Each structure stands twice: as structure tokens, then as C-alpha cells.
Amino acid sequence: MESPIQRHLDDLLQDVSRITDGRPYSVHPPGRDPDPDAFGICLATVDGHVYTAGAAADTEFSIHSISKPFSYALALADHGLDAVDEKVDLEPSGDPFNEISLSPDSGRPANAMINAGALAVVAMLKGGGGKSAPRRIVDFYSRLAGRRLSVDQSVYDVEIRNSDRNHALAYLLSSFGIIDDDPTRALKNYLRQCSMQVTCRDLAVMAATLSTGGTNPVTGEDVIDIESVERVLSVMMTSGMYDDAGSWASSVGMPAKSGVGGGTLAVLPGQAGLAVYSPPLDRHGSSVRGVETCRRLSRDMEMHFVRAARSGGSAVRRGVSITELPSRIRRTEEEASVLEQFDDACRIIAVTGDLHFAATESLVRAVSGLDAHVTIVVLDMRQVFEVSDLAVRMLEDLRRRLLADRRRLVVIEGGGLLEGTPLDGEDGVPIFSGRGSAVEYCEDLLLVEHGDAVAERTRVPVLESPAISPLDTAQRSRLVTYMEPRAHEDGDIIRRVGQRFGGVHFIVSGRVNTVGTDPSGSRVRLNTLSAGMTFGELSLGSEDRQEVTEKADGPVELMVLTPEALERLEKDDPPLAVGLWRALTRDAYMLVDRYLRETAVRLRY
């Protein structure tokens, strides 16, 4: 099933494509005019999944000014914060990217995102380990992107011929001692890094690497230390969009960087990296469609840093089947066989923490990735503490898409987090406060859909009881003569905990709830028995004391082998008594074995 996030990106791409404002950057190799219609969007999550929209998502283009934060990170790694701060300030300039804005006293550029600051930064990057400074930059960017990148020589050649202003900046920085080497070499290295070729996908992974605190989410390599990431993201937030930085921080709220090559990069710390490619630029030198895409995603997916900051740790755990975590309904052998055969048709996915963008994306992706034969999806949200409006919208969209595929969404949530939302309305989803009741509901759905031949029987005569099926017909007939009929109304206590052994009870019709006590002393339903099942026999192994309470769930009809009848049976017909004990022992063994297997799964779950 297609992810709602993928569909949202596809719809967004189509909608924003209608914007035709702006002009592509005019400096480019002959015959390689940028395509103004090229448009791609990539969103990389912190666990390494990359969503792409648009044919241009894998089109290579020049990174240009988007290189600045990454070279800044490399300089911080080489020299440390204090040494870099001596060369480049941390203040927003409020000026265009190519403005000559140096401190009149120290000559320091205002920040590392404007051209003057970027020249000062790249001048600090030296060769080492047998590699030149440009080679080190290429290697570093490649580790960030998770693939080998390269510099386009033809782009570099045309840039160097059109860089008089940047050349002047380099010499001005040299006159203040900010650049302490050959200013022309600094300019060339800067233009080489700007000429590096990337795709929208590359930039999204590079952004996600900043989002994770410096670990590439695709390769798992630790590329940048967290102290440098903090500094880089801080400067990107205040200065990455140049003289539009204030409006950007307010309306988008993500550290970002644009480039005249048409790329736009944005980072949602701890959650995702976003990249857009579209060549037409606005007056600030930023991609028109890139800016609009970021604005809309920030709004639609609550990616503004203020909203994202509420998000706590969260996790989506692997799905388990309902036979691994069955309900408390004790099913017949035929029903259990059907449920085991179709157990993969229902999956339980547990979520913990807060449902904001990152966690909801992981959850939606987990559900979207389920095999087509999974027709019932259960979301266990009992350990979710907060659900954002975005999460509700995404879950509602997920519900609709599942329904369109003739699949169902079921929710376990006892905290009222979904009250008043579309998920809680008449056309919403079944919401249960406990896992047991949710699984019962799902089991019943599967039995209705797949178990017509073994649908639950409302009446099972003792002669047909599975518990005594090992006995032959004559033995079962003789056994019935020792039983007495009993009837109970809804809510009647049939046997109470602590009572002496009251016999073996065969349920002819109706349902009986087995009620016990949890460690805190609260009463809990342990299971539900239906027609054809038995209870009471386990008391024989507990000093003849009833360990649980049996309560009628609606009208119940029983046939009971009382303690007195059992004594007569042992005296009158020892072979039949032995056959009965063997049959009951077999039934009890099967129950204990199932319980042990279920307990092992619950411990993992």
C-alpha cells in the first residue's frame, strides 16, 4: 500500500509545479541551460528511509551555497569552535549572500553562510594525509551523502570566469588577515566545492545526517561530532536563508540553506532531512518552488521546530500475529486451527512515546509496508503519551486507504487521546481500551471471514464435547448418565475462588468468564469459555480448591459431573473413570502448553 506521506509529497509536487515565478541562475556551461520545469522533492528520515517525488529527484546539479554549512562543519572539526570563531562571526547579516559585510574593526564576516564567511572558512581547510584540501572536501561531502560525489570541471571553469566580486572579497579578507594564505587559492577551493554535483536525494541524506546529530542514517557512519552539528544548525537557522532568514524562521522554522543551483536543504533535528530541487530563483537567490515546498511541508506535517520540539522519544515495534498474542476466549480446536491458518492476516503493531512527525511517519511506513494478505491492522497505542493533529490526520488518511483496499484498522488506546477526532466518530475505527478485547474482536472477524464451516456453535451436547472426544460413543453415553443439568442467568457466580472442588462442568450453551486477581489485587478476566468447553477440572490439582471465579456471561446451560458422581463413577466403572481422567489430562496439557507459548511471546512483546 502506498504511504500517505508519499502520496502527500506527490500531490504537493503537482500543486507547487504550477508556480512559474523566478528565473534560473544565469551562470552555467554553454549548452547546459537549467530546465525551469525540473522539480524534485526528497525527504529522508533519521532511520534512513528516503521518500522521493518528481523525476528530477535524481538529477545532478551544482551544490553551490548549500556547500557552506558542510565546509563549516569540516573547519570546526579541524580547528575547533574558538579558532573558527576568530575568523568568522555568528551574527545574522541581514544582507544578500554576496554582500561585502565585514566587521569594520576585525574584518570578520558576519557568519559562515554568506560568501565572505564561506571564503574565510574554506581558507582554513588544508590538505593532510596525502590529500589536498579540495580532495578532503569531496571525501567529506561524499561521506555525508553516502555515495561518491565529484566536481564538475566545466561548472568550475565558468564560475571562475564570473567571480570578480568573490575574488575581491577574498583579497579584502586577506587584507584583514582573515585569509592568511593565497586568497586566489581560497577562491578556487571555494568554487570547486560549489561545483560539486549532487542530487536531491544526496542533499536529503546530508540533511538527515545533520538531523541525527552527525550520523549518516543510510550508512550508519559517524561523520560529524554533535558539538559541530549544534553550531552548524544554529547558524543555518539564523543565517542560512540570508536576508530572508527572519521570515523563514517564523514561517518554516527549520535550519535551512539554499543555493543558486536550484537546491534547497532543510533540517528537522532528530526527525528528518528535506531537500528540494527546482532551478527558478527568487530575489534572495533561493528556489521559488523550494521555498514554497518547505513552507507547506512545515505547515502540513508540523515540521516547525517549535512543534517538533514537543516530540519525545518514540518507537514502533515489530508486528506480532494474534496467535502469538491470542485473546482470552478459549477457542475450539477447529476455531484455533482457522486462526492459526490465517494468523498473518492480522498484525499488532505497538507504538510508544509521542506521535509527532517522526514517530507517525515510522508507524505509517510500517503499516504501508505490510504484505497485502494482512487485512486487519491493530495499533497498540497504550504507551503513547501525546498525539499531534498531524498524527490524527495521517492515521485518518491511513484508515481511508486501508478501507479502499478492503482492510481494517483497529486501535488499542485507553487514555482518551483520540476522543473528539474523526477516528473516534461513527465512521471512525474500533477503539478498545485493552489488548484482549481488541484481539477478541479481530479473532471474531477472521472466523466470520474464513471460518464459516467452524463458526462458533451456540449449543454443543455433552456427547459432542471435544474434552471427551478420546472416549468412544458407548463410553460417552454411559458418562452422561452420571451428569446433572444446571442453568444460570447472566451474572450468576457459578463457582467462586476458594470453594472446594465442585465437579467438572461441561458448557452446553452460553459463555462463562473466568475471573482472577492480578498482583495489585484487582479483578481481571482471564479468559472466556463457550459451548463445548469445560471448567473445574484443574481444581483437582489445587488441594481441591477453586483457584478462580467462574461467572455466567449471559444465560448458561451446563452438565456437571459432581464430586459425588465422580466417586460413583470410580466405583461403578473404573475403566471409564480412567478414560475420563486421561481425556481431561490431555485437554489440560494442551491448555498449559498454549499458555506457556503465549507467555513467552508476551515477554518479548
Side-chain angles (χ1 to χ4, degrees):
M1 184 183 75
E2 183 185 36
S3 164
I5 293 178
Q6 182 64 58
R7 185 178 63 83
H8 183 82
L9 292 179
D10 291 337
D11 292 345
L12 180 62
L13 181 104
Q14 183 176 8
D15 192 25
V16 177
S17 292
R18 299 187 180 98
I19 300 175
T20 57
D21 299 341
R23 284 187 170 186
Y25 183 47
S26 60
V27 178
H28 48 76
R32 289 173 55 182
D33 294 14
D35 179 4
D37 295 326
F39 189 14
I41 305 172
C42 289
L43 182 69
T45 65
V46 291
D47 63 355
H49 185 79
V50 182
Y51 295 94
T52 66
D58 290 310
T59 298
E60 286 196 337
F61 59 94
S62 300
I63 192 171
H64 281 293
S65 287
I66 301 177
S67 64
K68 294 172 180 175
F70 301 110
S71 287
Y72 186 43
L74 183 56
L76 292 170
D78 284 353
H79 302 283
L81 300 181
D82 293 340
V84 176
D85 289 348
E86 289 180 4
K87 300 288 187 179
V88 184
D89 208 345
L90 301 171
E91 299 301 323
S93 66
D95 296 324
F97 65 92
N98 60 354
E99 190 70 17
I100 301 176
S101 54
L102 307 181
S103 169
D105 298 326
S106 65
R108 285 193 307 169
N111 58 73
M113 300 299 111
I114 58 175
N115 285 9
L119 285 164
V121 165
V122 79
M124 300 182 70
L125 301 177
K126 310 298 182 182
K131 296 180 180 179
S132 64
R135 171 57 70 183
R136 289 189 62 226
I137 294 173
V138 171
D139 289 349
F140 185 63
Y141 287 20
S142 298
R143 293 166 61 203
L144 289 163
R147 77 175 183 99
R148 191 66 192 173
L149 304 179
S150 62
V151 172
D152 188 318
Q153 184 63 36
S154 62
V155 173
Y156 168 79
D157 290 341
V158 74
E159 286 291 339
I160 197 71
R161 292 195 299 268
N162 291 271
S163 288
D164 290 346
R165 188 180 185 88
N166 283 332
H167 213 162
L169 277 172
Y171 272 97
L172 185 58
L173 290 166
S174 179
S175 71
F176 278 100
I178 300 299
I179 291 180
D180 54 13
D181 200 350
D182 180 1
T184 300
R185 181 183 293 113
L187 173 65
K188 290 180 177 179
N189 289 348
Y190 170 66
L191 294 178
R192 286 191 178 94
Q193 79 176 33
C194 289
S195 303
M196 200 171 308
Q197 300 300 289
V198 294
T199 66
C200 193
R201 182 189 297 268
D202 293 331
L203 289 182
V205 174
M206 295 168 82
T209 300
L210 291 174
S211 178
T212 63
T215 301
N216 185 310
V218 175
T219 66
E221 180 185 3
D222 293 328
V223 186
I224 312 175
D225 65 274
I226 185 62
E227 189 175 47
S228 296
V229 171
E230 289 176 352
R231 171 60 66 83
V232 169
L233 291 180
S234 298
V235 176
M236 286 173 65
M237 176 62 87
T238 59
S239 309
M241 301 302 285
Y242 309 121
D243 46 334
D244 193 38
S247 173
W248 181 273
S250 175
S251 61
V252 179
M254 286 187 281
K257 190 72 197 73
S258 62
V260 294
T264 307
L265 174 148
V267 179
L268 184 59
Q271 302 199 47
L274 170 65
V276 185
Y277 171 58
S278 176
L281 309 176
D282 62 18
R283 64 184 181 85
H284 303 288
S286 299
S287 167
V288 174
R289 294 191 188 116
V291 169
E292 182 61 19
T293 298
C294 291
R295 290 187 193 280
R296 294 199 191 183
L297 281 176
S298 175
R299 178 196 65 198
D300 298 344
M301 293 191 176
E302 299 182 357
M303 296 177 77
H304 195 288
F305 76 94
V306 173
R307 290 180 180 269
R310 298 179 302 159
S311 178
S314 57
V316 177
R317 286 184 279 175
R318 72 171 185 88
V320 297
S321 68
I322 58 173
T323 55
E324 292 179 290
L325 286 172
S327 72
R328 296 181 176 91
I329 300 292
R330 184 178 164 192
R331 303 292 182 178
T332 65
E333 289 187 22
E334 292 84 357
E335 290 172 333
S337 176
V338 170
L339 292 176
E340 185 170 346
Q341 181 182 355
F342 294 98
D343 72 325
D344 276 347
C346 179
R347 305 300 289 178
I348 305 171
I349 298 177
V351 193
T352 61
D354 296 330
L355 277 183
H356 295 293
F357 171 75
T360 308
E361 183 278 328
S362 297
L363 174 59
V364 168
R365 176 152 42 96
V367 174
S368 300
L370 291 172
D371 291 337
H373 64 258
V374 177
T375 58
I376 305 172
V377 181
V378 182
L379 303 184
D380 189 343
M381 296 171 52
R382 288 174 296 169
Q383 297 301 315
V384 171
F385 311 117
E386 185 175 0
V387 178
S388 69
D389 293 339
L390 167 69
V392 171
R393 294 198 305 271
M394 290 175 68
L395 291 176
E396 172 61 14
D397 186 79
L398 181 66
R399 180 191 70 84
R400 289 195 298 267
R401 296 177 72 77
L402 286 170
L403 280 177
D405 288 344
R406 297 185 178 182
R407 303 160 84 180
R408 294 181 176 89
L409 184 66
V410 176
V411 173
I412 307 171
E413 193 280 298
L417 295 174
L418 300 179
E419 287 183 4
T421 71
L423 293 168
D424 191 36
E426 285 187 15
D427 297 327
V429 299
I431 300 177
F432 298 89
S433 59
R435 181 179 50 77
S437 53
V439 175
E440 287 176 24
Y441 172 82
C442 296
E443 288 177 346
D444 289 341
L445 287 177
L446 290 177
L447 288 172
V448 168
E449 184 173 353
H450 302 289
D452 292 340
V454 294
E456 181 180 349
R457 297 172 62 183
T458 59
R459 184 178 179 83
V460 178
V462 173
L463 289 173
E464 301 174 19
S465 175
I468 57 174
S469 59
L471 302 178
D472 61 35
T473 302
Q475 288 175 316
R476 281 178 288 182
S477 297
R478 293 203 306 276
L479 184 62
V480 171
T481 63
Y482 288 87
M483 299 181 184
E484 62 179 56
R486 291 182 187 174
H488 294 272
E489 300 299 322
D490 181 36
D492 284 357
I493 301 298
I494 301 172
R495 296 294 298 163
R496 192 179 301 276
V497 63
Q499 288 183 330
R500 294 187 63 82
F501 172 61
V504 181
H505 298 64
F506 293 77
I507 303 175
V508 177
S509 66
R511 287 192 167 196
V512 175
N513 288 332
T514 302
V515 181
T517 304
D518 66 15
S520 66
S522 301
R523 299 180 68 189
V524 294
R525 178 168 61 95
L526 301 177
N527 59 33
T528 298
L529 310 177
S530 58
M533 298 179 182
T534 64
F535 63 89
E537 64 271 28
L538 294 182
S539 297
L540 289 170
S542 303
E543 297 182 353
D544 292 345
R545 293 288 178 179
Q546 185 78 15
E547 293 291 320
V548 292
T549 294
E550 308 291 352
K551 184 178 180 180
D553 181 11
V556 176
E557 182 182 354
L558 303 170
M559 290 291 283
V560 183
L561 268 174
T562 66
E564 295 77 18
L566 286 169
E567 287 182 6
R568 292 199 309 273
L569 175 62
E570 290 175 340
K571 181 178 179 181
D572 298 344
D573 196 340
L576 178 57
V578 172
L580 173 64
W581 300 138
R582 285 177 176 172
L584 294 178
T585 300
R586 167 184 168 274
D587 195 47
Y589 170 79
M590 293 173 62
L591 286 175
V592 171
D593 180 65
R594 180 183 179 188
Y595 170 78
L596 292 175
R597 286 187 284 111
E598 293 168 7
T599 300
V601 173
R602 286 191 177 96
L603 290 174
R604 295 198 307 270
Y605 182 75

